[in-house]
């Protein structure tokens, strides 16, 4: 039984067919590269121009002026070092809470199988259908006056950490991976006297490094790129995140310096993706096969 393809194998076997295939493939790759890398190039190159060249019409593809000191000015004028440390603090705090609580929730749903576990998982996944902007008002009212404890969490890292913990997508990814772990392996550990927590710590977590890496990346990037929620809950300029701080300090800053600051703010997430793109893909597909 032959496999159908866009280009018949007989045509690919001919020199002209192979040349046409390679040319069309190269053209598609170049077009997609330009589509995805074009905005990044425009961002980085605009940070090297002077203020007049940035706003001129028509725009210049290659900078006519070269002012790398724009990046130094952006770092100093906007105090990017403080904003960067604030963002790292919030991001890794959210990561710690997600790893502890989301892993516990996914493990209990996958291996401990509580009563109404499927219904609970279904309701969690249903929250993914709700736009994030719809939840802004109730979440803000909650952190403004937390029920029971009656505390105001504005201008505190808890306003960033607590809403990020309940991530239904990460719980679903973790549960799917835990489901793929052979039941016989956990039963053998249970027969040797290991309890649920011991099994989780000694067996499940070491096996789950790929998916834990994916969840970690999602958690850090989620806090890093967020803008609306930190702007509402962190009004103190000294405690703001990178994105909000750049927006707050943008008045009176030359446009080329502002673009340079935006370029610096985008670099960490780009580096994370370039360094861990293989881990992201392998972690997302790791739970697809039963081991």
């Amino acid at each position: 039984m032959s496999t159908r393809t866009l280009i018949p194998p007989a045509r690919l076997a001919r020199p002209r067919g192979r040349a046409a295939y390679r040319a069309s493939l190269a053209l598609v790759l170049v077009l997609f590269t330009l589509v995805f890398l074009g905005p990044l190039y425009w961002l980085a190159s605009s940070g090297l121009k002077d203020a007049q060249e940035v706003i001129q019409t028509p725009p210049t593809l290659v900078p006519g002026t070269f002012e790398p000191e724009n990046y130094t000015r952006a770092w100093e004028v906007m105090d990017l070092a403080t904003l960067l440390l604030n963002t790292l603090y919030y991001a890794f705090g959210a990561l710690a809470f997600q790893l502890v609580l989301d892993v516990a929730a996914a493990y209990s749903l996958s291996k401990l199988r509580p009563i109404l576990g499927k219904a609970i998982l279904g309701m969690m996944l249903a929250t993914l259908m709700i736009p994030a902007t719809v939840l802004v008002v109730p979440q803000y009212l909650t952190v403004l006056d937390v029920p029971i404890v009656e505390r105001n969490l504005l201008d505190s890292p808890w306003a960033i950490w607590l809403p990020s913990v309940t991530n239904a997508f990460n719980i679903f990814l973790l549960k799917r991976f835990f489901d793929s772990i052979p039941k016989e392996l956990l039963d053998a550990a249970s027969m040797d006297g290991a309890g649920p927590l011991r099994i989780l710590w000694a067996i499940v977590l070491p096996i789950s490094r790929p998916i834990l890496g994916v969840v970690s990346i999602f958690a850090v990037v989620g806090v890093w790129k967020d803008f609306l929620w930190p702007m509402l809950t962190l009004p103190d300029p000294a405690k703001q995140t990178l994105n909000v701080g750049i927006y707050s300090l943008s008045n009176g800053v030359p446009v080329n310096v502002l673009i340079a600051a935006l370029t610096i703010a985008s670099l960490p997430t780009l580096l994370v993706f370039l360094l861990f793109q293989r881990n992201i893909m392998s972690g997302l597909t790791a739970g697809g096969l039963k081991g």
Side-chain angles (χ1 to χ4, degrees), residues 121-132:
L121 178 62
M123 288 187 288
M124 285 184 181
L125 296 179
T127 61
L128 297 176
M129 303 296 107
I130 304 174

Side-chain angles (χ1 to χ4, degrees), residues 75 80-92 94 98 160 164 216-228 230 241-246 261-272:
W75 184 270
L80 295 185
T82 300
L83 297 176
L84 181 62
L85 290 175
N86 289 345
T87 309
L88 288 173
Y89 178 58
Y90 298 136
F92 284 98
Q98 284 197 31
I160 304 295
S164 66
S216 300
I217 293 170
F218 285 171
V220 172
V221 172
V223 174
W224 198 281
K225 67 183 182 63
D226 197 8
F227 176 78
L228 178 60
T241 61
L242 195 59
N243 295 334
V244 178
I246 292 176
L262 294 174
T263 305
I264 295 173
S266 64
L267 283 178
T269 52
L270 291 175
L271 291 176
V272 166

Side-chain angles (χ1 to χ4, degrees), residues 97-125:
F97 280 105
Q98 284 197 31
L99 286 180
V100 172
L101 299 177
D102 288 1
V103 165
Y107 179 70
S108 63
L109 291 172
S110 175
K111 299 303 180 184
L112 302 183
R113 302 193 179 275
I115 299 175
L116 301 177
K118 292 184 178 180
I120 294 173
L121 178 62
M123 288 187 288
M124 285 184 181
L125 296 179

